[in-house]
Amino acid sequence: GVFNHLGLILGDTHNIYLKILLEQGVLGLIVFFALILSFLVQGVKLYRNGTDELEKGLGLGFALCVPVLLVNNFFGDRWSYLELNGYLWIFAGLVGRLILINRQETQNKKMPLKGKGNSKGMTHLKRISKYQEIRGRLSEHQGIRKHYITPS
């Protein structure tokens, strides 16, 4: 850590919170706890808003992982080893991405497509099929144009 660069060899604190407090100060410890709190909130959010059992299980497991890590890091520094905390960051990324996917799906279901003769709005799947239909017509039109305009 920082003290090794100053010529002091103090050894390991065996407590991540004490280590962060001594090396990065109170502000570093506050940022660390804010990160931990955001992990807990994201896990609970996925558990409550998950669309299937796998998402709910991942959210619950991630939310329960946080208190376990909090207790475990009182007796050692587990955050400094990528072999130990690498899985936490992978699961944090999965949880965050699943929350974003669920949020986008609910927004797409609620968002109507505005246009002529569409007072009720269209669902997301209807919009996709309409888009694919228009795209198919355009590609047919471009194929006809290429056939007649391209010199032989």
Side-chain angles (χ1 to χ4, degrees), residues 3-4 8-13 22:
F3 298 109
N4 288 339
L8 301 172
I9 301 174
L10 300 175
D12 192 14
T13 60
L22 293 174

Side-chain angles (χ1 to χ4, degrees), residues 3 8 19 23 34 41 46 54-55 68 75 77-78 97 116 119 125 128 135 138:
F3 298 109
L8 301 172
K19 183 176 185 176
E23 290 187 358
V41 168
L46 183 62
L54 180 64
E55 290 179 6
V68 169
F75 307 106
D77 179 7
R78 311 299 190 263
R97 184 63 185 145
K116 291 184 178 179
S119 60
L125 293 176
I128 290 174
R135 188 172 175 198
L138 285 174

Side-chain angles (χ1 to χ4, degrees), residues 134-146:
I134 292 170
R135 188 172 175 198
R137 287 182 189 170
L138 285 174
S139 64
E140 288 174 11
H141 179 68
Q142 289 173 354
I144 292 171
R145 273 184 53 196
K146 285 181 184 177

Side-chain angles (χ1 to χ4, degrees), residues 4-143:
N4 288 339
H5 295 292
L6 298 174
L8 301 172
I9 301 174
L10 300 175
D12 192 14
T13 60
H14 297 287
N15 185 324
I16 189 66
Y17 311 112
L18 185 59
K19 183 176 185 176
I20 290 173
L21 181 64
L22 293 174
E23 290 187 358
Q24 298 173 3
V26 175
L27 184 62
L29 192 62
I30 290 170
V31 169
F32 178 74
F33 280 125
L35 176 71
I36 297 298
L37 181 64
S38 71
F39 282 169
L40 182 65
V41 168
Q42 295 295 313
V44 170
K45 188 182 291 187
L46 183 62
Y47 173 68
R48 288 185 178 167
N49 301 329
T51 57
D52 62 359
E53 295 300 319
L54 180 64
E55 290 179 6
K56 288 182 181 287
L58 183 64
L60 181 63
F62 190 66
L64 292 176
C65 174
V66 172
V68 169
L69 287 173
L70 285 173
V71 171
N72 195 14
N73 280 297
F74 269 112
F75 307 106
D77 179 7
R78 311 299 190 263
W79 288 95
S80 298
Y81 302 102
L82 184 62
E83 298 85 8
L84 298 175
N85 74 8
Y87 295 108
L88 174 74
W89 292 103
I90 291 171
F91 286 126
L94 287 172
V95 167
R97 184 63 185 145
L98 283 171
I99 289 171
L100 287 176
I101 288 171
N102 288 341
R103 185 180 305 154
Q104 289 172 350
E105 285 178 356
T106 56
Q107 286 175 353
N108 288 339
K109 288 178 184 177
K110 292 178 183 177
M111 183 178 19
L113 181 66
K114 296 179 182 177
K116 291 184 178 179
N118 190 12
S119 60
K120 294 181 180 176
M122 299 178 88
T123 64
H124 181 64
L125 293 176
K126 287 182 182 178
R127 269 185 266 145
I128 290 174
S129 64
K130 187 72 171 173
Y131 170 75
Q132 289 173 343
E133 179 185 340
I134 292 170
R135 188 172 175 198
R137 287 182 189 170
L138 285 174
S139 64
E140 288 174 11
H141 179 68
Q142 289 173 354

